[in-house]
Amino acid sequence: MSPAQGPVLADSSQSARGNVADVTDPAAALARPGDPGWWRTGVVYQIYPRSFADSTGDGVGDLPGIIEHLDHLAGPDGLGVEAIWLSPIYPSPGLDGGYDVADYSAIDPLFGSMDDFDRLIKEAHRRGLRVLLDLVLNHTSDRHPWFEASRASRTGPEADWYIWRDPAGTHRSGRPIPPNNWLSFFGGSAWQWDEGRRQFYLHTFLAQQPDLNWREPFVQEAVFGMVRGWLRRGVDGFRLDVFNALLKSSDLASNPPGRRLARSPWQRQRHLHDKDQADLLPLLALFRSMVDEAPGRMTVGELFAGDIGQAVALTRPGHLVFDFELLGQPWSAASFRRTIAERERAFGEAWPTVVLSNHDQSRHVSRFLRTLGRQDQRTHDAVAKAAAVLLLTLRGTPFVYYGEEIGLPDIRVPNALAIDPPARRASWRFPWWNRDRCRSPMPWTGDPGAGFTTGRPWLPFSPDHVTRNVARQAEDSDSVLATYRRLLRLRAATPALHGGGLRLIPSPGEDVLAYERELDGGRAVVAINFGLRRFVWAPPPGSWKVALSTGPRAVGSPLGDTPRAPQLEPLEALIALEG
Ligand code: NOJ
């Protein structure tokens, strides 16, 4: 009966392994022979569906809204990304922005219908754009029928689909004592008492997000069956939410103390037992072999509180890992230089991801402006462009978070008005950032409703949306958006930039970050001035021509081999190609 007793990763997939060779496979038509994998050469664009485009006027983005804006992403006037990743679109009570899934195999009516989804796949594929879904497999919503069945009976077929445990004892007050000291990442104990079963269940996040028991073969079977269903619908891959937490230690031992002075109680434990278990690798291999039944599909796993070493250990061909080391850096050339050096050392031949922003963190332009201590719009645009050069020229697969292509900043939402659930319970004992700030609706135009909605948006627009929006920037050849478009085209056309090795170049000053990318003799050099002063900077020997500059430098102009070394303007980023 106890939750972690099932056979460890018994290969139950045999019974569920269907034949997917005969699936309708629109993605196969997109495959290019000799391609190292589109997920390595292309750029992925993350859409937070609630905030992208609302076609119904209810103030919440939806699938038809996304379809209407696919030309923004692909096609002759599009950004030129390879794939879109949709944060969860499944039916959900929405207590954690859809990361509390009540049905893995359907579309939340808030976002549209299954017909809309099929149309989205078709329209995306027609434009050469692939579609990734977000798989939240560590937990479901407590409203998922699996949990309702599991909660209803200690002996029913789903009894062990979640991690149930008897109390460790009873307080003098009569309160049952949780089985161990594990904590929820969203605050408080990770154990919730259930009066019906008279047992605790585990929840790494909200109490309304009970953790699935991945040691239960039927859970594997049910989830794999569901995943095959999405593959058959033509989905090109998946982002795996907190995938390193899927397995917990079988004996559910308490965690030892961690960093004593860390700010949050969760960080004050060493998470030896509630994530990162050794048998994650065989589980991942099993999962990948199932995904590989449909060729050309990628997965990317979100590392839940892990470092570069863990990311490398879990990276596989076709399976990338989000580590958030880059995302944690301030706007400092020295910090990025250190982190890039560490990543390059650790990853070696393996393929990293490059992430500066996502739906959980402060948007990078806002973070970087805070480091610089500046807020004016000129600096804002200059930082957004220089950061774009960084994101799109480092070695690895870049992930662009919707809105960053126009330099969208954070919004301010006081905790008292927060929608993000942990933000509502934030206190000095439980420090938390409000994730609403990075989820504001996409401003497409400067009109009322910003071209996002005809109704009342579910979150406020950024204060500068009347001037900072897609339509306005599309008309300005010097905008952040125009820079992203140029950069993405240059990246796609330059093998060294999308596939080459990376070598850091010594810089003339603290504020300059420079590196070279090289593939099969083709070379590109990138230099970024993080500071507000000019720097004289000399590229490595060679005959270089400017391919892109966020400063005043003309494309095609020579760099180096001239009597005077070039000056890097404040916040200028440039890319030069040899030849
Ligand atoms: C990570 C997701 O990125 C975050 O948004 C979510 O709240 C947690 N996982 C729980 O699913």
Side-chain angles (χ1 to χ4, degrees), residues 96 99 139 186 205 239 241-242 302 359-360 435 439:
D96 184 18
Y99 284 87
H139 45 269
F186 283 169
F205 296 94
R239 178 253 188 201
D241 192 64
V242 296
E302 181 207 28
H359 64 289
D360 288 331
R435 297 179 299 173
R439 297 174 177 176

Side-chain angles (χ1 to χ4, degrees), residues 142-198:
D142 63 347
R143 308 266 286 277
H144 195 294
W146 296 348
F147 186 72
E148 286 173 348
S150 189
R151 162 181 256 173
S153 156
R154 283 185 180 219
T155 52
E158 291 89 358
D160 290 339
W161 285 37
Y162 292 81
I163 302 181
W164 293 95
R165 202 54 154 207
D166 292 333
T170 313
H171 277 289
R172 258 183 302 171
S173 64
R175 245 180 331 116
I177 299 172
N180 65 23
N181 71 351
W182 294 0
L183 294 174
S184 158
F185 191 65
F186 283 169
S189 168
W191 294 97
Q192 177 71 23
W193 178 249
D194 183 75
E195 260 317 317
R197 270 183 71 144
R198 300 203 58 76

Side-chain angles (χ1 to χ4, degrees), residues 238-259:
F238 304 98
R239 178 253 188 201
L240 309 179
D241 192 64
V242 296
F243 82 117
N244 55 320
L246 292 189
L247 292 168
K248 293 42 174 176
S249 68
S250 305
D251 60 359
L252 304 185
S254 277
N255 283 323
R259 288 189 284 141

